[in-house]
């Protein structure tokens, strides 16, 4: 896990190397082991890199240059199959050779086609003086972010928007479409002047013409796979992503992380607890899993005061507001792992999207939950929305569109997106997965990257191995859910096989690391929250809920903090601090 930053120019004018240095410094937390900025031999590009050395220690910080061709690379992430690729591409490996060196060789041999051979998470930039082009690329699921601004004069890019702002003018802007999902979609961001390279795509920018083109090199729906041997694909994914150094695993008390704990055997498990919050406190389940495996368990107990003290730091780390009630839990887990002196943390993201693990999937497939559904009271707003819109008489696409909508879809873009996915998918199961990957999933990826990077940690998500993901995606609905095992049936089978306690793999309540922040903001933090919202709450779809599980006030608070941080006339973003000017 590192950080990338850089500028490439169309004209022959002077290069602002100091700006790239400043940009790299603003995201210095991403690379505590070094920072370097280098100019290309032809003077067309200035790249920077922040280094966190995990796989190989004592190595030189990039950017890396092939001296024969002048091709220069800056890289962020981990390519798990780099040793296999080194053998394939005849790259000699020694203590100083990293996955970045192998990637550089792959580009020299295959151009952009080398991307399809990478297994892992990455964001990278390559400057090729032979073609006067710059290649930007991002991994298949968007685990590593890459923001950019392209115009007729230059291309600028960075791992974080605060860093991009040192290279090019960016300004905060909240489009009306944001409120439909409380997130942007596609390449859009909450900033004029900043685009987000979409997962599974690459951009080629021509320095002779000042023009660029984005090409998609991967999408799960375009890959042919029979999904036959899920267990073998999972075993391969776990073998690839298991760190060789001590690591922590985030244990929520649920199915996905329990399977990882039982198969990867981390050095320590970390979880969060909210005593007195029966619906949200998962410490008993986490303790059950830890004790069954004999692995130490560290429990973090966030409080309302912790959220008030950390909210500004959380938004600063994210660069934008995310109305997710798990933000505090995740932030404090990473904080604790860093305090333990570890550098790698593993999480269980992925199966819910690929194997239909969310309650909204069950509602779409089976209809509204009963009023007395055990342990699922927090999903009452979804149930009530389903009933209110009489969705049983609507198409599957329209029903799911209504279920995921959080606010007014002013321009109808979300409806068009969802209906387009359902129209092109071979079945409803795969339509649900693709819709989630395009809407709710990207902010989860950005949150995990930004919050873990804030503490100089590398976050790994084994379930996002693309070969395992393709296998899951290809499964028929009858393998993703069964009458006996329910949703994520195939993963429940694995859990039973590897010794996860029965009460864990039989449970149907999806909790994750949700926190009581929405409740606190209406109670002990009510006065504090009004300092950020001016007493106002953000408008949401009428009747979407409210009360202890409503996230509207939380989004309003985070939005207020974000606006202050980015629009205050007396402050500018500078590294980890906001410095008066």
């Amino acid at each position: 896990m590192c950080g990338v930053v850089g500028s490439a120019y169309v004209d022959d004018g002077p290069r602002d190397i100091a700006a790239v240095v400043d940009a790299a410094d603003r995201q210095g937390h991403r690379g505590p082991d070094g920072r370097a900025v280098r100019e290309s031999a032809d003077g067309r590009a200035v790249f920077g890199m922040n280094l966190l050395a995990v796989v190989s220690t004592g190595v030189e910080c990039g950017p890396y240059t092939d001296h024969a061709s002048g091709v220069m690379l800056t890289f962020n992430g981990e390519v798990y199959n780099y040793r296999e690729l080194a053998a394939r591409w005849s790259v000699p490996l020694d203590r100083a050779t990293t996955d970045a060196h192998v990637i550089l060789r792959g580009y020299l041999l295959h151009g952009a086609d080398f991307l399809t051979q990478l297994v892992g998470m990455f964001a990278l930039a390559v400057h090729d003086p032979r073609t006067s082009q710059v290649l930007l690329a991002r991994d298949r699921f968007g685990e590593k972010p890459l923001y950019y601004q392209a115009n007729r004069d230059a291309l600028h890019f960075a791992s974080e928007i605060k860093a991009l702002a040192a290279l090019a003018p960016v300004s905060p802007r909240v489009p009306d479409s944001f409120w439909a999902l409380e997130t942007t979609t596609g390449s859009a961001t909450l900033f004029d002047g900043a685009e987000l390279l979409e997962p599974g795509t690459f951009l080629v920018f021509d320095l002779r013409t000042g023009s660029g083109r984005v090409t998609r090199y991967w999408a799960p729906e375009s890959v042919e796979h029979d999904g036959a041997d899920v267990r073998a694909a999972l075993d391969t994914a776990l073998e690839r992503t298991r760190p060789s150094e001590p690591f922590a695993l985030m244990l929520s008390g649920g199915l996905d992380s329990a399977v990882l704990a039982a198969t990867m055997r981390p050095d320590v498990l970390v979880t969060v607890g909210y005593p007195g919050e029966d619906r949200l406190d998962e410490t008993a389940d986490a303790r059950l899993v830890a004790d069954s495996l004999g692995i130490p368990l560290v429990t973090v107990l966030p409080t309302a005061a912790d959220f008030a003290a950390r909210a500004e730091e959380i938004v600063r780390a994210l660069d934008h507001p995310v109305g997710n009630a798990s933000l505090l839990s995740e932030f404090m887990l990473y904080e604790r792992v860093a305090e333990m002196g570890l550098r790698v943390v593993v999480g269980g993201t992925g199966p819910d999207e690929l194997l239909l693990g969310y309650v909204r999937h069950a509602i779409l497939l089976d209809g509204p939950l009963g009023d007395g559904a055990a342990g699922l009271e927090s999903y009452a707003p979804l149930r009530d929305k389903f009933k209110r819109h009489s969705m049983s008489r609507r198409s599957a696409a329209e029903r799911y569109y209504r279920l995921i909508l959080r606010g007014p879809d002013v321009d109808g873009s979300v409806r068009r997106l969802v209906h387009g996915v359902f129209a092109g998918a071979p079945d409803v199961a795969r339509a649900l997965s693709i819709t989630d990957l395009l809407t709710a999933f990207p902010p989860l990826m950005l949150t995990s990257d930004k919050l873990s990077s804030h503490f100089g940690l590398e976050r790994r998500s084994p379930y996002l191995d693309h070969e395992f993901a393709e296998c899951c995606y290809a499964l028929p609905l009858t393998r993703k859910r069964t009458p006996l095992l329910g949703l994520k049936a195939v993963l429940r089978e694995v859990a039973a096989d590897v010794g996860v306690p029965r009460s864990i793999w039989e449970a149907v309540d999806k909790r994750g690391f949700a926190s009581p922040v929405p409740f606190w903001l209406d109670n002990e933090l009510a006065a504090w929250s009004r300092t950020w919202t001016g007493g106002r709450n953000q408008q949401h779809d009428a009747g979407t809920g409210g009360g202890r599980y409503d996230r509207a006030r939380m989004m309003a608070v985070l939005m207020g903090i974000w606006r202050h941080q980015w629009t205050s006339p007396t402050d500018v973003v500078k590294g980890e601090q906001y410095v008066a000017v």
Side-chain angles (χ1 to χ4, degrees):
M1 193 285 296
C2 305
V4 297
V5 65
S7 296
Y9 303 91
V10 174
D11 60 37
D12 293 320
R15 308 307 181 213
D16 192 352
I17 297 176
V20 180
V21 172
D22 182 16
D25 287 344
R26 293 187 186 198
Q27 58 184 34
H29 47 272
R30 301 185 69 91
D33 294 321
R35 185 266 289 156
V37 173
R38 295 187 173 92
E39 185 175 5
S40 62
D42 66 355
R44 290 285 185 181
V46 181
F47 284 5
M49 180 172 168
N50 308 96
L51 175 67
L52 172 66
V54 174
V55 175
S56 302
T57 58
V59 300
E60 177 189 11
C61 179
Y64 305 100
T65 301
D66 174 69
H67 296 292
S69 64
V71 172
M72 184 168 64
L73 163 79
T74 185
F75 171 74
N76 166 28
E78 292 286 356
V79 173
Y80 302 123
N81 67 332
Y82 84 97
R83 293 183 179 277
E84 172 190 331
L85 294 176
R88 186 183 307 169
W89 296 335
S90 301
V91 180
L93 292 177
D94 56 35
R95 291 179 61 86
T97 305
T98 69
D99 48 357
H101 294 93
V102 177
I103 288 171
L104 182 55
R105 175 65 175 171
Y107 173 82
L108 292 171
L109 289 173
H110 303 290
D113 290 342
F114 84 100
L115 294 167
T116 62
Q117 301 183 58
L118 305 184
V119 177
M121 53 181 182
F122 55 85
L124 59 86
V126 176
H127 167 62
D128 191 338
R130 301 170 303 179
T131 60
S132 294
Q133 292 180 335
V134 174
L135 169 76
L136 302 184
R138 194 168 174 218
D139 65 73
R140 295 167 178 84
F141 284 99
E143 293 184 71
K144 298 290 106 182
L146 188 54
Y147 298 95
Y148 70 95
Q149 181 184 118
N151 55 55
R152 291 180 298 178
D153 299 319
L155 170 70
H156 308 284
F157 64 89
S159 294
E160 300 188 5
I161 291 178
K162 65 175 69 69
L164 183 64
L167 304 174
V170 301
S171 57
R173 178 186 63 87
V174 183
D176 289 340
S177 59
F178 173 83
W179 298 112
L181 297 172
E182 290 184 348
T183 185
T184 54
T185 57
S187 63
T189 71
L190 290 184
F191 295 83
D192 279 331
E195 290 188 75
L196 177 64
L197 190 65
E198 294 188 57
T201 69
F202 64 87
L203 165 70
V204 174
F205 187 81
D206 194 319
L207 296 175
R208 295 165 298 190
T209 63
S211 61
R213 179 180 180 182
V214 175
T215 301
R216 178 165 297 281
Y217 70 88
W218 182 88
E221 64 269 32
S222 64
V223 177
E224 293 186 5
H225 201 295
D226 60 10
D229 199 340
V230 178
R231 181 60 189 276
L234 178 59
D235 289 344
T236 299
L238 297 175
E239 181 180 355
R240 284 171 172 163
T241 56
R242 192 188 193 285
S244 57
E245 57 285 308
F247 70 101
L249 189 142
M250 299 166 67
L251 182 67
S252 70
L255 171 69
D256 306 341
S257 57
V259 169
L260 293 182
T263 52
M264 299 186 79
R265 299 283 173 157
D267 299 273
V268 63
L269 298 165
V270 291
T271 193
V272 293
Y274 295 97
E277 293 282 349
D278 293 340
R279 168 67 186 86
L280 300 173
D281 189 80
E282 302 179 86
T283 52
D285 288 337
R287 172 58 61 188
L288 176 64
V289 172
D291 289 347
S292 72
L293 299 173
I295 300 175
L297 176 69
V298 173
T299 302
V300 179
L301 303 174
T303 66
D306 287 324
F307 182 74
R310 289 167 171 79
E312 292 181 71
E313 189 178 357
I314 289 172
V315 176
R316 185 177 299 120
L318 291 173
D319 281 332
H320 59 87
V322 178
N324 190 327
S326 67
L327 282 181
L328 177 63
S329 301
E330 197 169 352
F331 184 88
M332 293 193 66
L333 283 176
Y334 294 136
E335 183 178 57
R336 184 69 184 92
V337 170
E339 289 170 352
M340 293 161 59
L342 299 175
R343 289 197 160 201
V344 181
V345 59
V346 173
T349 304
D352 289 314
E353 290 77 15
L354 298 166
L355 293 171
L356 307 184
Y358 289 116
V359 169
R360 62 178 179 265
H361 299 149
I363 293 176
L364 186 282
L365 296 167
D366 300 329
L369 303 164
D371 291 343
L376 297 176
E377 64 270 18
S378 67
Y379 297 99
L382 279 178
R383 178 199 64 211
D384 295 342
K385 183 190 286 191
F386 192 101
K387 291 179 178 179
R388 184 175 67 254
H389 292 295
S390 300
M391 286 197 283
S392 61
R393 296 193 296 271
R394 301 177 185 267
S395 68
E398 184 65 14
R399 296 201 307 271
Y400 201 58
Y401 163 71
R402 297 293 184 116
L403 283 171
I404 67 174
L405 204 62
R406 294 187 180 180
D409 185 15
V410 176
D411 60 2
S413 59
V414 176
R415 173 180 269 117
R416 290 191 296 274
L417 184 155
V418 175
H419 279 261
V421 169
F422 273 74
D427 57 48
V428 67
R430 281 177 275 196
L432 291 172
S433 291
I434 296 302
T435 301
D436 282 5
L437 290 176
L438 293 175
T439 57
F441 192 69
L444 295 181
M445 287 292 90
L446 291 174
T447 296
S448 293
D449 172 83
K450 299 288 186 65
L451 296 187
S452 59
S453 298
H454 182 70
F455 294 103
L457 298 174
E458 175 173 291
R459 156 74 189 245
R460 297 190 182 186
S461 301
Y463 292 123
L464 296 183
D465 177 285
H466 75 274
E467 294 178 356
F468 172 71
E470 291 167 3
C471 188
C472 291
Y473 177 79
L475 289 173
L477 181 58
T478 53
R479 288 280 284 139
K480 295 178 181 177
R481 61 194 296 270
T482 67
L484 179 62
L485 294 175
L487 298 175
K488 293 194 291 190
V490 68
L491 195 59
R492 295 181 194 276
E493 294 171 359
V494 173
D497 188 48
V498 299
V500 171
R502 187 182 187 94
S503 62
I504 302 297
W505 60 260
E506 279 189 337
V508 298
D509 191 8
K510 170 67 181 172
R511 289 175 287 179
F513 287 115
S515 72
V517 168
F519 176 75
W520 293 338
L521 293 176
D522 281 332
N523 292 276
E524 55 259 59
L525 293 181
W528 173 84
S529 72
R530 284 194 292 272
T531 65
W532 293 112
T533 65
R536 297 185 302 275
N537 210 341
Q538 181 58 48
Q539 178 183 359
H540 278 241
D541 184 25
T544 54
R548 70 185 301 110
Y549 302 112
D550 179 54
R551 295 190 299 228
R553 187 175 298 278
M554 181 176 177
M555 174 54 84
V557 168
L558 298 178
M559 183 63 72
I561 293 172
W562 175 75
R563 289 184 188 277
H564 170 75
Q565 290 180 347
W566 282 90
T567 63
S568 172
T570 59
D571 292 337
V572 294
V573 185
K574 180 72 174 178
E576 289 301 283
Q577 303 296 323
Y578 287 77
V579 184
V581 293

